[in-house]
Amino acid sequence: MFFSIYKANKWILSDSSLSKNEKWLSRLFLIDSTTITLFKNIMKACGNSMANGRRKGGVKVHAGMWLNEQVPSLIRISKSAESDKKFMVRFKNMPAETILVFDKAYVNYSLYKHWSKIKVSFVSRLHKSCVVTKGNLRLLSVEDEEYNILEDCEVQLGHKAQKDKVNVRLIKFFDKEHNREIEFITNDKRLEAWEIAEIYKQRWAIELLFKRLKQNIKITSFLGDNENAIRIQIWCALIADLLMQIARKGMRKGEMAYSVVCGLIKLHLMNYVQIKQLLQTPTDPSIFHRKPQENYDLFNQAPP
């Protein structure tokens, strides 16, 4: 049901407000996952048991979404203990010129090489377990230095005895806000180093998706106490978020804050009113079509 709604309304979800000067923004596909701790040991969680020997379960929601749509187009629900790498297979054959953005937990050398062959780029952080062999340094532009790029180098990932070594770019960026160095890897040879750092920064958009699900739709509180009930509730939350985004994007007078849309719809959930009219003119009483005499009191109904 989620994917049928998504496909039918995909044309509404596409955001045309992205900067035309940065064409790569429309090609970004973001990948990440979020973990939700459960109230008892239902689905296997990662980590050690508590001091009293008890163990709570956990569920992991894997998502992939286009930056200009702000809703996931690929979803997988699994046990919390399951590795993120298993989700990467779904992105093996992406459209050419796509730029995949994901965290350092998704390490797969064979996929890195495959994407390079089909002209799919990726941007990720360097995992501490990766063995790096440095090669030629690339010259930094004025924009790179202004963006706090420290180094842009061609490197090779993999042990000496490893057959599937990967040739990538390693970009070092200094984060002034947190006073730390961040290392990015990418197979893109055309974009500037500062653009690669800016691309990875866009990954925050998928974190906002998980924030919406947990804070506005309360996906952290479950009604059922079995795995099937938990999966159903997560899918219902995803459908609700999708419908909220369709309602927001379908407005003519600009987008309303997500929390405001949720509040209005929750308040008028049992009223007969068109969503567009409610969001455009929420204070206009004429948008409610039901007549006053049709509202019956529950405990004092009129005689037949």
Side-chain angles (χ1 to χ4, degrees):
M1 184 180 292
F2 174 90
F3 291 113
S4 63
I5 297 172
Y6 168 78
K7 290 177 182 178
N9 297 275
K10 190 175 181 179
W11 62 277
I12 299 176
L13 297 169
S14 183
D15 190 357
S16 59
S17 63
L18 296 176
S19 176
K20 294 182 180 179
N21 297 327
E22 298 171 338
K23 296 180 180 180
W24 45 263
L25 285 172
S26 61
R27 299 188 283 122
L28 294 192
F29 191 83
L30 315 177
I31 305 167
D32 204 356
S33 66
T34 185
T35 302
I36 305 167
T37 303
L38 301 178
F39 43 89
K40 67 177 186 178
N41 192 10
I42 301 174
M43 301 173 75
K44 186 178 180 181
C46 56
N48 300 322
S49 301
M50 295 183 289
N52 57 7
R54 295 183 179 180
R55 187 180 181 89
K56 290 185 177 180
V59 60
K60 185 178 286 187
V61 181
H62 308 264
M65 76 174 192
W66 295 99
L67 176 64
N68 61 345
E69 291 181 352
Q70 300 296 312
V71 295
S73 58
L74 286 174
I75 301 167
R76 186 170 184 267
I77 302 171
S78 69
K79 299 176 182 178
S80 178
E82 186 172 302
S83 173
D84 292 336
K85 297 179 184 179
K86 293 184 178 180
F87 187 52
M88 295 298 288
V89 182
R90 298 200 174 193
F91 311 106
K92 184 175 182 179
N93 297 312
M94 297 294 291
E97 304 300 326
T98 300
I99 303 176
L100 299 171
V101 187
F102 47 86
D103 201 2
K104 56 186 176 182
Y106 301 91
V107 180
N108 192 318
Y109 287 178
S110 60
L111 274 179
Y112 292 172
K113 296 184 71 174
H114 173 74
W115 287 329
S116 298
K117 291 178 181 178
I118 63 173
K119 297 182 179 180
V120 171
S121 304
F122 69 88
V123 176
S124 180
R125 287 179 62 184
L126 180 67
H127 196 277
K128 61 181 180 180
S129 65
C130 295
V131 178
V132 179
T133 304
K134 288 193 174 183
N136 298 327
L137 288 171
R138 296 166 64 103
L139 293 176
L140 298 180
S141 64
V142 177
E143 292 84 359
D144 293 337
E145 294 176 352
E146 291 177 351
Y147 203 88
N148 299 319
I149 300 296
L150 302 178
E151 185 180 273
D152 185 1
C153 180
E154 295 180 0
V155 302
Q156 193 175 65
L157 302 180
H159 298 278
K160 291 182 179 180
Q162 195 168 347
K163 294 182 179 180
D164 57 342
K165 293 180 182 179
V166 186
N167 296 318
V168 296
R169 287 170 64 188
L170 177 64
I171 298 168
K172 287 187 178 181
F173 164 74
F174 182 72
D175 184 6
K176 286 186 176 180
E177 184 178 352
H178 299 95
N179 194 27
R180 60 175 180 171
E181 289 186 7
I182 303 176
E183 295 179 315
F184 304 112
I185 56 172
T186 180
N187 63 343
D188 192 296
K189 303 295 178 65
R190 296 173 297 176
L191 294 175
E192 299 288 338
W194 71 268
E195 290 179 309
I196 299 299
E198 184 65 24
I199 283 173
Y200 190 82
K201 188 183 292 186
Q202 304 301 321
R203 197 184 67 86
W204 179 249
I206 199 168
E207 298 288 352
L208 296 178
L209 164 68
F210 298 137
K211 185 178 179 181
R212 294 198 310 261
L213 293 173
K214 291 182 177 180
Q215 293 187 0
N216 295 98
I217 308 186
K218 309 296 182 184
I219 200 175
T220 53
S221 302
F222 292 95
L223 303 176
D225 60 351
N226 59 77
E227 182 176 341
N228 190 47
I230 290 169
R231 288 178 179 272
I232 289 173
Q233 187 168 339
I234 292 174
W235 278 112
C236 288
L238 290 166
I239 291 172
D241 175 75
L242 176 59
L243 293 175
M244 296 289 182
Q245 291 291 71
I246 292 171
R248 290 179 65 225
K249 297 287 182 73
M251 293 175 59
R252 294 180 180 178
K253 296 183 179 179
E255 294 183 10
M256 187 180 291
Y258 185 88
S259 57
V260 176
V261 174
C262 287
L264 281 172
I265 292 179
K266 287 178 182 178
L267 185 63
H268 297 282
L269 195 60
M270 303 306 294
N271 293 331
Y272 289 96
V273 59
Q274 291 186 5
I275 297 296
K276 285 186 179 180
Q277 290 183 344
L278 177 64
L279 298 182
Q280 290 174 355
T281 55
T283 58
D284 184 6
S286 63
I287 64 176
F288 300 97
H289 301 294
R290 175 171 285 193
K291 298 179 181 179
Q293 59 267 27
E294 293 179 353
N295 295 325
Y296 298 110
D297 187 273
L298 182 61
F299 300 104
N300 187 23
Q301 293 188 4

CSV table of all heavy atoms in Angstrom, one decimal, residues 218-244:
chain,number,residue,atom,x,y,z
A,218,LYS,N,5.1,9.4,16.6
A,218,LYS,CA,5.3,8.5,17.8
A,218,LYS,C,5.5,7.1,17.4
A,218,LYS,O,4.8,6.2,18.0
A,218,LYS,CB,4.0,8.7,18.7
A,218,LYS,CG,3.7,10.1,19.0
A,218,LYS,CD,4.7,10.9,19.8
A,218,LYS,CE,4.3,12.3,20.1
A,218,LYS,NZ,5.3,13.0,20.8
A,219,ILE,N,6.4,6.8,16.6
A,219,ILE,CA,6.7,5.4,16.2
A,219,ILE,C,7.4,4.6,17.3
A,219,ILE,O,7.6,3.4,17.2
A,219,ILE,CB,7.6,5.4,14.9
A,219,ILE,CG1,7.5,4.1,14.2
A,219,ILE,CG2,9.0,5.8,15.2
A,219,ILE,CD1,8.2,4.0,12.9
A,220,THR,N,7.8,5.3,18.4
A,220,THR,CA,8.6,4.7,19.5
A,220,THR,C,7.7,4.0,20.4
A,220,THR,O,8.1,3.2,21.3
A,220,THR,CB,9.4,5.7,20.2
A,220,THR,OG1,8.6,6.8,20.6
A,220,THR,CG2,10.5,6.3,19.4
A,221,SER,N,6.3,4.2,20.4
A,221,SER,CA,5.4,3.6,21.3
A,221,SER,C,4.5,2.6,20.5
A,221,SER,O,3.8,3.0,19.6
A,221,SER,CB,4.5,4.6,22.0
A,221,SER,OG,5.2,5.6,22.7
A,222,PHE,N,4.6,1.3,20.9
A,222,PHE,CA,4.0,0.3,20.1
A,222,PHE,C,2.7,-0.3,20.8
A,222,PHE,O,2.7,-0.4,22.0
A,222,PHE,CB,4.9,-0.9,19.8
A,222,PHE,CG,6.0,-0.5,18.8
A,222,PHE,CD1,7.3,0.0,19.3
A,222,PHE,CD2,5.8,-0.5,17.4
A,222,PHE,CE1,8.3,0.4,18.4
A,222,PHE,CE2,6.8,-0.1,16.6
A,222,PHE,CZ,8.1,0.3,17.1
A,223,LEU,N,1.7,-0.6,20.0
A,223,LEU,CA,0.5,-1.1,20.6
A,223,LEU,C,0.5,-2.6,20.7
A,223,LEU,O,-0.2,-3.2,21.6
A,223,LEU,CB,-0.7,-0.7,19.7
A,223,LEU,CG,-0.9,0.8,19.5
A,223,LEU,CD1,-2.0,1.1,18.5
A,223,LEU,CD2,-1.1,1.5,20.8
A,224,GLY,N,1.2,-3.3,19.8
A,224,GLY,CA,1.2,-4.8,19.9
A,224,GLY,C,2.5,-5.3,20.5
A,224,GLY,O,3.4,-4.6,20.7
A,225,ASP,N,2.4,-6.6,20.9
A,225,ASP,CA,3.6,-7.2,21.6
A,225,ASP,C,4.1,-8.4,20.8
A,225,ASP,O,4.7,-9.3,21.4
A,225,ASP,CB,3.2,-7.6,23.0
A,225,ASP,CG,2.1,-8.6,23.0
A,225,ASP,OD1,1.5,-8.9,22.0
A,225,ASP,OD2,1.8,-9.2,24.1
A,226,ASN,N,4.0,-8.3,19.5
A,226,ASN,CA,4.6,-9.4,18.7
A,226,ASN,C,5.2,-8.7,17.4
A,226,ASN,O,4.9,-7.6,17.1
A,226,ASN,CB,3.6,-10.5,18.3
A,226,ASN,CG,2.4,-9.9,17.5
A,226,ASN,OD1,2.5,-9.6,16.3
A,226,ASN,ND2,1.3,-9.7,18.2
A,227,GLU,N,6.1,-9.5,16.7
A,227,GLU,CA,6.8,-8.9,15.6
A,227,GLU,C,5.9,-8.4,14.5
A,227,GLU,O,6.1,-7.4,13.9
A,227,GLU,CB,7.8,-10.0,15.1
A,227,GLU,CG,8.7,-9.5,14.0
A,227,GLU,CD,9.7,-10.5,13.5
A,227,GLU,OE1,10.0,-11.4,14.3
A,227,GLU,OE2,10.2,-10.4,12.4
A,228,ASN,N,4.9,-9.2,14.2
A,228,ASN,CA,4.0,-8.8,13.1
A,228,ASN,C,3.3,-7.5,13.4
A,228,ASN,O,3.1,-6.6,12.5
A,228,ASN,CB,2.9,-9.9,12.9
A,228,ASN,CG,2.1,-9.7,11.6
A,228,ASN,OD1,2.7,-9.4,10.6
A,228,ASN,ND2,0.8,-9.8,11.7
A,229,ALA,N,2.8,-7.3,14.7
A,229,ALA,CA,2.1,-6.1,15.1
A,229,ALA,C,3.1,-4.9,15.0
A,229,ALA,O,2.7,-3.8,14.6
A,229,ALA,CB,1.6,-6.2,16.5
A,230,ILE,N,4.3,-5.1,15.3
A,230,ILE,CA,5.3,-4.0,15.3
A,230,ILE,C,5.6,-3.6,13.8
A,230,ILE,O,5.6,-2.4,13.5
A,230,ILE,CB,6.6,-4.4,16.0
A,230,ILE,CG1,6.4,-4.5,17.5
A,230,ILE,CG2,7.8,-3.5,15.7
A,230,ILE,CD1,7.5,-5.2,18.3
A,231,ARG,N,5.7,-4.6,13.0
A,231,ARG,CA,6.0,-4.3,11.5
A,231,ARG,C,4.8,-3.5,10.9
A,231,ARG,O,4.9,-2.6,10.2
A,231,ARG,CB,6.2,-5.6,10.8
A,231,ARG,CG,7.5,-6.2,11.0
A,231,ARG,CD,7.7,-7.5,10.3
A,231,ARG,NE,9.0,-8.2,10.5
A,231,ARG,CZ,10.1,-7.9,9.8
A,231,ARG,NH1,10.0,-7.1,8.7
A,231,ARG,NH2,11.2,-8.5,10.0
A,232,ILE,N,3.5,-3.9,11.3
A,232,ILE,CA,2.3,-3.3,10.7
A,232,ILE,C,2.3,-1.8,11.2
A,232,ILE,O,2.0,-0.9,10.4
A,232,ILE,CB,1.1,-4.0,11.2
A,232,ILE,CG1,1.0,-5.4,10.5
A,232,ILE,CG2,-0.2,-3.2,10.9
A,232,ILE,CD1,-0.2,-6.2,10.9
A,233,GLN,N,2.6,-1.6,12.5
A,233,GLN,CA,2.6,-0.2,13.0
A,233,GLN,C,3.6,0.7,12.3
A,233,GLN,O,3.4,1.8,12.1
A,233,GLN,CB,2.7,-0.2,14.5
A,233,GLN,CG,2.5,1.2,15.1
A,233,GLN,CD,2.4,1.1,16.6
A,233,GLN,OE1,2.1,0.1,17.2
A,233,GLN,NE2,2.6,2.3,17.3
A,234,ILE,N,4.8,0.1,12.1
A,234,ILE,CA,5.8,0.9,11.4
A,234,ILE,C,5.4,1.3,10.0
A,234,ILE,O,5.6,2.4,9.5
A,234,ILE,CB,7.2,0.1,11.4
A,234,ILE,CG1,7.7,0.0,12.8
A,234,ILE,CG2,8.2,0.8,10.5
A,234,ILE,CD1,8.9,-0.9,12.9
A,235,TRP,N,4.8,0.3,9.3
A,235,TRP,CA,4.3,0.6,7.9
A,235,TRP,C,3.2,1.6,7.9
A,235,TRP,O,3.1,2.5,7.1
A,235,TRP,CB,3.9,-0.7,7.2
A,235,TRP,CG,5.0,-1.5,6.6
A,235,TRP,CD1,5.4,-2.7,7.1
A,235,TRP,CD2,5.8,-1.1,5.5
A,235,TRP,NE1,6.5,-3.1,6.3
A,235,TRP,CE2,6.7,-2.2,5.3
A,235,TRP,CE3,5.8,0.0,4.7
A,235,TRP,CZ2,7.7,-2.2,4.3
A,235,TRP,CZ3,6.8,0.0,3.7
A,235,TRP,CH2,7.7,-1.1,3.5
A,236,CYS,N,2.3,1.5,8.9
A,236,CYS,CA,1.3,2.5,9.1
A,236,CYS,C,1.8,3.9,9.3
A,236,CYS,O,1.3,4.9,8.8
A,236,CYS,CB,0.3,2.2,10.2
A,236,CYS,SG,-0.7,0.7,9.8
A,237,ALA,N,2.9,4.0,10.1
A,237,ALA,CA,3.6,5.3,10.4
A,237,ALA,C,4.2,5.8,9.1
A,237,ALA,O,4.1,7.0,8.9
A,237,ALA,CB,4.6,5.1,11.5
A,238,LEU,N,4.8,5.0,8.3
A,238,LEU,CA,5.4,5.4,7.1
A,238,LEU,C,4.4,5.9,6.1
A,238,LEU,O,4.6,6.9,5.4
A,238,LEU,CB,6.2,4.2,6.5
A,238,LEU,CG,7.5,3.9,7.2
A,238,LEU,CD1,8.0,2.5,6.7
A,238,LEU,CD2,8.6,4.9,7.0
A,239,ILE,N,3.2,5.2,6.1
A,239,ILE,CA,2.1,5.6,5.2
A,239,ILE,C,1.6,7.0,5.6
A,239,ILE,O,1.3,7.9,4.8
A,239,ILE,CB,1.0,4.6,5.2
A,239,ILE,CG1,1.4,3.3,4.4
A,239,ILE,CG2,-0.3,5.2,4.5
A,239,ILE,CD1,0.5,2.2,4.5
A,240,ALA,N,1.4,7.2,7.0
A,240,ALA,CA,1.0,8.5,7.5
A,240,ALA,C,1.9,9.6,7.1
A,240,ALA,O,1.5,10.7,6.7
A,240,ALA,CB,0.8,8.4,9.0
A,241,ASP,N,3.2,9.3,7.3
A,241,ASP,CA,4.2,10.3,6.9
A,241,ASP,C,4.2,10.7,5.4
A,241,ASP,O,4.3,11.8,5.1
A,241,ASP,CB,5.6,9.8,7.3
A,241,ASP,CG,6.7,10.8,6.8
A,241,ASP,OD1,6.9,11.8,7.5
A,241,ASP,OD2,7.4,10.5,5.8
A,242,LEU,N,4.0,9.7,4.6
A,242,LEU,CA,3.9,9.9,3.2
A,242,LEU,C,2.7,10.7,2.8
A,242,LEU,O,2.8,11.7,2.0
A,242,LEU,CB,3.8,8.5,2.4
A,242,LEU,CG,3.6,8.5,0.9
A,242,LEU,CD1,4.7,9.3,0.2
A,242,LEU,CD2,3.5,7.1,0.4
A,243,LEU,N,1.5,10.5,3.4
A,243,LEU,CA,0.3,11.2,3.2
A,243,LEU,C,0.5,12.7,3.6
A,243,LEU,O,0.0,13.6,3.0
A,243,LEU,CB,-0.9,10.6,3.9
A,243,LEU,CG,-1.3,9.2,3.3
A,243,LEU,CD1,-2.4,8.6,4.2
A,243,LEU,CD2,-1.8,9.3,1.9
A,244,MET,N,1.2,12.9,4.8
A,244,MET,CA,1.4,14.2,5.3
A,244,MET,C,2.3,15.0,4.3
A,244,MET,O,2.0,16.2,4.0
A,244,MET,CB,2.2,14.2,6.6
A,244,MET,CG,1.4,13.6,7.7
A,244,MET,SD,0.1,14.6,8.3
A,244,MET,CE,-0.6,13.6,9.7
